[in-house]
Amino acid sequence: MAALSITAANVLPGTGAINVQRTGGTTLTAGVPAYADSTDSFELKPAANTSATLAAVVGIILQGVGDGQPVLVQIDGTIDGVGATEGVVYVLGAAGEIVPVADLVATNFVTLIGVGNADGGIDLSIKATGSQVQ
């Protein structure tokens, strides 16, 4: 399988969504997993599974914003419009995308995003493990 092909305009908070407002630390797009910048923990940047720091996902971006702009990020509940497959476990990919767990390779840091549901969304269960695939 490959990374989810997310259309930013389709990303919506779903059932039980818990959202928080943060600040964009760079240009951000809806549907992108984000981590908190170490120099300003309130600023979010696109996550990647290439280091423990970059893989510490805090949520999924819900709207496109530029650097320094307020951004809504979903941290729990169901996120809709991402084109997920029911029953597939999704994790953070190398370039900030959301990928099936089977796509991970040696040295990737494992961050659980959630499980695909019947409606093409993901039931979020974000957990940055800090562990690498061996």
Side-chain angles (χ1 to χ4, degrees), residues 49-101:
N49 69 10
T50 55
S51 77
T53 299
L54 298 178
V57 173
V58 296
I60 309 298
I61 300 298
L62 291 174
Q63 69 207 69
V65 298
D67 189 6
Q69 293 182 314
V71 63
L72 198 59
V73 59
Q74 186 168 337
I75 60 172
D76 202 4
T78 298
I79 189 161
D80 293 333
V82 294
T85 300
E86 183 177 12
V88 172
V89 175
Y90 288 96
V91 296
L92 175 65
E97 68 274 357
I98 298 172
V99 301
V101 68

Side-chain angles (χ1 to χ4, degrees), residues 101-116:
V101 68
D103 286 8
L104 292 179
V105 297
T107 73
N108 289 162
F109 284 82
V110 181
T111 300
L112 177 65
I113 300 296
V115 179

Side-chain angles (χ1 to χ4, degrees), residues 7 16 21 27 37 61 64 66 83 97 125:
T7 302
Q21 187 169 329
T27 300
D37 183 21
I61 300 298
E97 68 274 357
S125 185

